[in-house]
């Protein structure tokens, strides 16, 4: 996986060398005086190129195409319909002949100039190119006749011929047949514009070899900045195209390997459980690759869109599934990798790391939807303030600040909201559990917990009490309170198969264990762990919850029936009375073992006092420590003492004990 990831990252990186000097506009040149190592052209900045493009677009001449067939069609229809509007019964032969010639003259004059349907916003003074066949000729747009002007044009021609009295008849004759014969040619207009845009030269002037570009202590601005920018661009393109291609590729591989190795070593040293789980490592690597892929995609499309990529999704999601420290470390490693390829690497790395820190510090209780929106707003604000501060340092003013960049940061914030559906998708793809899923599992109206409440009401009540105790303890020592609460709710699912064999569900004086041998009774008790695992898997509970079912008794003895068997038998196999394990392997599973044992045993207390509760809790947990039940859990003696203190306090509240006064 390590080698594959390195290969993919290097493949995704843009193919180009790296300029050995790092500089920013408005900053002091910290290096020695730089002279041009070779002849190179001065490239125009993006602002200059955009100004030239905008200038060409503003001077764009639209093309219109002349269609001669329209005139022929209209004249043919005119000749066919003329006698209908000027019948022989009303007009003499000479008059009719003269009027017909007047109508033809009107059509010729109109169509020779050109009738255009208004499609493009042009002023009458705008110059346009009129294409007739293979010839084009410039003319004013106002010289073309628009459809709305035809009525006025007909009236003017008839008035000139002293035939204004026939205007109504001619207009009715032409009304249905007059059509435009000049059309806007959008394809030709765009083609010519594209050719003109392509003809823009990307350079202006050149720098000869040996010329001083910038001296140490000078400010990187104006022409110095343009020369440095051009040198870097020329240097990187030449570097990649020369014979040292393999060396540059090797350099990329080396740097990416070192950076990514830091992540692997972090997992190995500080998160061994994650490191040993291929599924979790794959999940982390997948998210790193996804962020790199999206960023390189934005770079290839438009360098201005790199901040649209919601990098803060990475620490947010990793915090939801693992912990804040792992989320931040992975985010920093990813940002450092991207710092190789993005322009203004310092600015990018600074903004992304600050935003990542804010993400880790602000997003808590992700299952509360309002928290995500508040945190995203804070992340967006940090992006905007950070960019604003960097711009002021670089430029010394805000006159030319690109306000649309703030819009890009807002888009980044909106894209970060995609973390919520992504968490759900990742849970299904990788089988992981987040706080959102844990919150859903705490619903006591879920079918599985309702079934537990119906079949084993005493066990259900016990599970609720343990959940409350475990959650209070977890909050006190900084463990995952939501996770341990869910584990406590489901830890005794197996008791549903034989509920009456467990004291909390016995509502009568009849005890079914009276009919069984101690060894058989112990087996029934032990089986509730295995039955619980089977029920949990059947109902598709996450593995992290099933771990609580497996470990909540560890490898402890079913002590009551063990002692009962010991009274009647000379030889006894201790393994027959011992839970199969495994023992707890995390703070959360250790907490459940302690709270479960204390809560269950507390039901046997009669007339409890402060001293009884104190010795009772001490005795149970000390016995678990003596049996090495917590040697695999990352829990300290100090935390165990805190747990004892909380349990004593909670039991005191449950039994409503008053403060003991001195005698």
């Amino acid at each position: 996986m390590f080698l594959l990831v390195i290969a993919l990252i290097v493949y995704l990186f843009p193919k180009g060398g790296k300029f050995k000097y790092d500089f920013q506009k408005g900053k002091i040149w910290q290096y020695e005086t730089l002279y041009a190592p070779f002849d190179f052209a001065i490239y125009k900045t993006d602002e200059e190129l955009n100004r030239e493009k905008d200038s060409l677009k503003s001077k764009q001449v639209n093309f219109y195409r002349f269609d001669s067939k329209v005139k022929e069609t209209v004249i043919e229809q005119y000749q066919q319909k003329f006698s209908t509007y000027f019948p022989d019964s009303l007009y003499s032969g000479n008059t009719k002949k003269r009027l017909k010639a007047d109508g033809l003259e009107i059509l010729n004059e109109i169509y020779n100039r050109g009738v255009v349907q208004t499609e493009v916003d042009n002023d009458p003074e705008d110059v346009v190119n009129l294409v007739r066949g293979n010839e084009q000729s410039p003319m004013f747009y106002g010289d073309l006749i628009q459809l709305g002007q035809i009525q006025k044009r007909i009236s003017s021609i008839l008035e000139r011929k002293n035939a204004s009295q026939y205007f109504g008849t001619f207009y009715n004759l032409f009304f249905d047949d007059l059509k435009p014969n000049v059309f806007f040619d959008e394809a030709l207009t765009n083609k010519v514009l594209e050719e003109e845009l392509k003809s823009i030269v990307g350079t202006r002037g050149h720098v000869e070899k040996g010329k001083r570009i910038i001296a140490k202590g000078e400010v990187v601005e104006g022409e110095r900045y343009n020369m440095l920018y051009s040198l870097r661009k020329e240097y990187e393109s030449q570097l990649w195209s020369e014979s040292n291609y393999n060396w540059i590729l090797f350099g990329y591989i080396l740097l990416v390997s070192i950076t990514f190795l830091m992540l692997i070593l972090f997992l190995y040293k500080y998160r061994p459980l994650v490191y040993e789980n291929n599924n979790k490592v794959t999940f982390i690597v997948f998210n790193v690759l996804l962020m790199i892929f999206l960023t390189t995609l934005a770079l290839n499309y438009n360098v201005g869109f790199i901040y649209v990529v919601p990098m803060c999704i990475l620490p947010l999601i990793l915090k939801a599934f693992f912990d804040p420290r792992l989320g931040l470390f992975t985010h920093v490693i990813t940002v450092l990798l991207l710092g190789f390829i993005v322009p203004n690497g310092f600015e990018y790395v600074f903004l992304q790391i600050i935003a990542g820190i804010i993400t880790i510090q602000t997003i808590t209780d992700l299952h509360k939807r309002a928290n995500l929106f508040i945190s995203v707003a804070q992340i967006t604000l940090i992006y905007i303030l950070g960019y604003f501060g960097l711009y002021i340092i670089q430029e010394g003013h805000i006159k030319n600040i690109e306000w649309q960049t703030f819009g890009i940061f807002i888009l980044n914030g909106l894209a970060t909201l995609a973390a919520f559906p992504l968490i759900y998708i990742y849970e299904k793809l990788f089988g992981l559990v987040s706080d959102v899923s844990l919150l859903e599992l705490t619903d006591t109206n879920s079918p599985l917990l309702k079934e537990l409440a119906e079949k084993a009401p005493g066990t259900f009540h016990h599970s609720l009490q343990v959940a409350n105790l475990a959650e209070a303890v977890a909050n006190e020592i900084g463990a995952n309170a939501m996770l341990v609460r869910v584990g406590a709710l489901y830890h005794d699912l197996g008791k549903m198969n034989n509920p009456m064999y467990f004291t909390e569900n016995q509502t009568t004086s009849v005890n079914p264990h009276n009919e069984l041998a101690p060894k058989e009774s112990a087996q029934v008790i032990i089986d509730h762990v295995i039955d619980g695992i089977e029920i949990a898997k059947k109902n598709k509970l996450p593995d992290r919850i099933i771990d609580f079912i497996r470990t909540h008794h560890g490898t402890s003895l079913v002590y009551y029936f063990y002692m009962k068997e010991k009274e009647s038998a000379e030889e006894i196999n201790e393994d027959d009375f011992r839970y199969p394990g495994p023992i707890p392997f995390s703070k959360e599973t250790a907490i459940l073992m302690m709270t479960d044992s204390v809560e269950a045993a507390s039901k046997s207390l009669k007339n409890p006092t402060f001293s009884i509760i104190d010795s009772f809790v001490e005795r149970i947990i000390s016995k678990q420590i003596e049996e090495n039940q917590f040697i695999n859990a990352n829990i300290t003696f100090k935390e165990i003492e805190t747990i004892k203190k909380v349990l004593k306090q909670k039991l005191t509240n449950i039994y409503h004990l008053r403060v003991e006064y001195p005698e």
Side-chain angles (χ1 to χ4, degrees):
M1 185 186 292
F2 179 76
L3 295 175
L4 179 62
V5 168
I6 292 170
L8 285 172
I9 292 175
V10 173
Y11 174 77
L12 289 172
F13 276 7
K15 303 302 182 286
K18 194 73 177 176
F19 192 48
K20 58 184 176 180
Y21 299 109
D22 188 24
F23 62 90
Q24 285 184 297
K25 192 174 183 181
K27 293 291 186 69
I28 301 295
W29 180 257
Q30 301 289 346
Y31 308 99
E32 295 300 325
T33 302
L34 178 63
Y35 297 92
F38 47 77
D39 293 344
F40 63 91
I42 299 178
Y43 289 92
K44 295 177 182 175
T45 63
D46 291 338
E47 293 178 358
E48 290 175 317
L49 290 172
N50 289 332
R51 280 199 297 270
E52 289 189 32
K53 289 177 182 178
D54 291 340
S55 176
L56 281 176
K57 289 176 182 177
S58 65
K59 297 176 182 177
Q60 175 187 3
V61 177
N62 292 326
F63 283 79
Y64 287 82
R65 193 168 293 278
F66 190 91
D67 189 350
S68 58
K69 294 182 180 179
V70 173
K71 175 184 173 183
E72 297 173 2
T73 303
V74 172
I75 289 177
E76 184 179 345
Q77 291 172 342
Y78 165 75
Q79 290 177 339
Q80 291 174 359
K81 294 166 66 176
F82 180 79
S83 297
T84 304
Y85 286 86
F86 294 95
D88 294 338
S89 58
L90 296 178
Y91 299 95
S92 62
N94 290 333
T95 302
K96 188 175 179 180
K97 186 176 180 181
R98 179 174 56 80
L99 289 174
K100 190 173 185 179
D102 290 344
L104 286 173
E105 187 175 341
I106 291 171
L107 293 176
N108 282 320
E109 184 172 333
I110 289 174
Y111 278 104
N112 286 341
R113 291 190 63 175
V115 179
V116 64
Q117 186 172 2
T118 306
E119 296 177 351
V120 182
D121 186 17
N122 285 112
D123 290 327
E125 300 299 322
D126 288 344
V127 176
V128 298
N129 284 323
L130 186 62
V131 181
R132 297 174 183 259
N134 294 325
E135 297 180 359
Q136 71 175 46
S137 55
M139 64 182 301
F140 290 109
Y141 182 77
D143 291 339
L144 295 172
I145 302 172
Q146 298 181 27
L147 278 175
Q149 298 173 337
I150 287 181
Q151 183 177 356
K152 185 177 180 181
R153 183 70 61 177
I154 293 172
S155 175
S156 175
I157 296 172
L158 289 175
E159 186 177 344
R160 192 174 68 230
K161 292 182 169 296
N162 296 320
S164 297
Q165 65 272 29
Y166 300 107
F167 168 75
T169 307
F170 272 113
Y171 184 73
N172 291 333
L173 172 58
F174 294 148
F175 184 78
D176 292 329
D177 299 325
L178 288 179
K179 299 175 183 178
N181 68 331
V182 175
F183 303 93
F184 174 61
D185 194 333
E186 185 177 5
L188 181 59
T189 302
N190 291 336
K191 182 180 178 182
V192 171
L193 178 61
E194 287 176 8
E195 290 175 354
E196 290 178 350
L197 291 175
K198 288 179 182 178
S199 66
I200 294 177
V201 180
T203 61
R204 52 172 180 79
H206 71 282
V207 176
E208 295 181 355
K209 181 179 179 180
K211 180 180 178 180
R212 194 185 77 174
I213 296 175
I214 190 169
K216 184 176 181 179
E218 290 183 336
V219 180
V220 180
E221 60 182 357
E223 193 62 22
R224 299 190 196 98
Y225 173 79
N226 291 336
M227 287 192 290
L228 282 170
Y229 170 79
S230 302
L231 177 60
R232 180 175 64 185
K233 192 170 182 179
E234 191 71 25
Y235 180 84
E236 291 177 353
S237 63
Q238 285 189 18
L239 193 64
W240 191 258
S241 61
E242 293 174 357
S243 58
N244 47 10
Y245 169 90
N246 292 330
W247 282 108
I248 295 173
L249 191 62
F250 174 74
Y252 267 129
I253 293 172
L254 189 62
L255 291 175
V256 173
S257 301
I258 292 171
T259 309
F260 199 75
L261 182 63
M262 296 302 103
L263 176 59
I264 300 298
L265 291 175
F266 175 85
L267 295 176
Y268 176 77
K269 188 171 183 180
Y270 298 106
R271 298 295 183 272
L273 293 178
V274 176
Y275 177 80
E276 293 166 7
N277 189 315
N278 286 335
N279 182 56
K280 291 179 179 179
V281 175
T282 303
F283 172 73
I284 294 170
V285 168
F286 173 80
N287 280 278
V288 171
L289 286 174
L290 180 63
M291 290 297 107
I292 292 174
F293 171 74
L294 292 176
T295 305
T296 53
L297 203 66
L299 276 172
N300 293 332
Y301 178 73
N302 188 329
V303 71
F305 289 165
I306 58 170
Y307 286 112
V308 174
V309 180
M311 287 295 298
C312 289
I313 280 184
L314 183 60
L316 194 158
I317 287 178
L318 293 183
K319 180 183 177 182
F321 287 114
F322 302 107
D323 62 88
R325 189 177 176 189
L326 174 58
L328 181 59
F329 192 89
T330 307
H331 175 72
V332 170
I333 290 296
T334 307
V335 171
L336 289 176
L337 284 170
L338 290 172
F340 292 141
I341 61 172
V342 297
N344 295 328
F346 171 79
E347 174 188 300
Y348 180 85
V349 170
F350 175 82
L351 287 177
Q352 296 293 8
I353 289 180
I354 290 295
I357 293 171
I358 292 296
T359 303
I360 292 298
Q361 291 183 339
T362 59
I363 293 186
T364 55
D365 297 330
L366 192 59
H367 54 275
K368 297 178 181 178
R369 290 171 294 180
N371 287 355
L372 179 62
F373 285 95
I374 293 169
S375 297
V376 166
Q378 292 172 335
I379 293 166
T380 305
L381 180 63
I382 287 298
Y383 270 125
I384 291 173
L385 292 177
Y387 172 79
F388 191 74
L390 287 170
Y391 187 88
I392 292 174
I393 291 173
Q394 293 170 4
E395 300 291 337
H397 56 78
I398 60 170
K399 294 178 182 177
N400 300 322
I401 193 168
E402 297 178 356
W403 297 104
Q404 63 267 26
T405 306
F406 298 142
I408 289 175
F409 290 135
I410 293 171
L411 287 177
N412 181 296
L414 294 175
T416 305
L417 293 174
F420 209 80
L422 264 180
I423 288 173
Y424 176 78
I425 294 169
Y426 283 149
E427 286 177 339
K428 301 303 178 186
L429 287 177
F430 292 93
L432 300 171
V433 182
S434 69
D435 284 351
V436 180
S437 293
L438 292 176
L439 181 66
E440 294 173 357
L441 290 170
T442 59
D443 183 8
T444 53
N445 289 317
S446 65
L448 190 55
L449 290 179
K450 286 181 77 174
E451 185 182 356
L452 176 63
E454 291 171 4
K455 291 183 177 180
T459 299
F460 177 71
H461 184 262
H462 160 72
S463 298
L464 286 176
Q465 294 282 18
V466 174
N468 292 333
L469 287 173
E471 185 177 20
V473 167
N475 283 325
E476 195 68 26
I477 67 170
N480 190 331
M482 182 71 73
L483 177 61
V484 77
R485 179 177 182 81
V486 176
L489 288 173
Y490 291 90
H491 77 283
D492 272 343
L493 284 178
K495 292 182 179 181
M496 284 194 294
N497 288 358
N498 297 295
M500 296 308 296
Y501 284 86
F502 299 90
T503 308
E504 67 266 22
N505 298 311
Q506 294 171 0
T507 56
T508 64
S509 59
V510 178
N511 189 340
H513 285 291
N514 295 335
E515 307 297 325
L516 300 176
K519 185 176 178 180
E520 292 174 336
S521 293
Q523 192 58 50
V524 172
I525 301 299
I526 291 170
D527 283 346
H528 90 273
V529 173
I530 296 153
D531 293 340
I533 294 170
E534 291 177 355
I535 293 169
K537 286 184 175 179
K538 185 179 178 182
N539 287 273
K540 298 181 179 178
L541 287 182
D543 286 340
R544 288 179 77 185
I545 306 306
I546 296 175
D547 287 340
F548 286 91
I549 302 174
R550 289 191 181 99
T551 61
H552 75 280
H553 285 296
T555 56
S556 61
L557 280 172
V558 184
Y559 192 72
Y560 177 83
F561 292 108
Y562 172 73
M563 295 304 295
K564 195 174 181 182
E565 177 75 4
K566 202 171 183 181
E567 291 173 3
S568 59
E570 294 182 1
E571 292 186 7
I572 182 170
N573 186 357
E574 195 176 279
D575 291 339
D576 293 335
F577 296 86
R578 192 173 291 281
Y579 286 98
I583 60 176
F585 50 81
S586 66
K587 281 184 185 179
E588 289 75 19
T589 51
I591 288 170
L592 179 61
M593 172 179 270
M594 286 184 259
T595 52
D596 179 44
S597 301
V598 169
E599 201 284 331
S602 69
K603 296 294 188 291
S604 63
L605 291 176
K606 295 177 182 179
N607 301 320
T609 63
F610 284 102
S611 59
I612 289 174
I613 288 176
D614 185 83
S615 61
F616 164 78
V617 172
E618 289 287 346
R619 185 174 66 254
I620 289 177
I621 296 180
S622 295
K623 186 178 180 182
Q624 291 173 338
I625 295 172
E626 289 171 8
E627 292 177 349
N628 295 323
Q629 296 296 315
F630 306 132
I631 58 173
N632 288 342
N634 59 334
I635 193 165
T636 65
F637 283 117
K638 181 180 179 181
E639 288 169 335
I640 291 175
E641 289 301 317
T642 303
I643 292 171
K644 290 179 184 178
K645 181 181 176 182
V646 174
L647 289 175
K648 291 171 187 176
Q649 181 184 353
K650 291 295 179 183
L651 287 177
T652 300
N653 294 336
I654 289 171
Y655 286 104
H656 305 290
L657 297 181
R658 294 172 179 248
V659 176
E660 288 186 342
Y661 293 97
E663 295 181 0

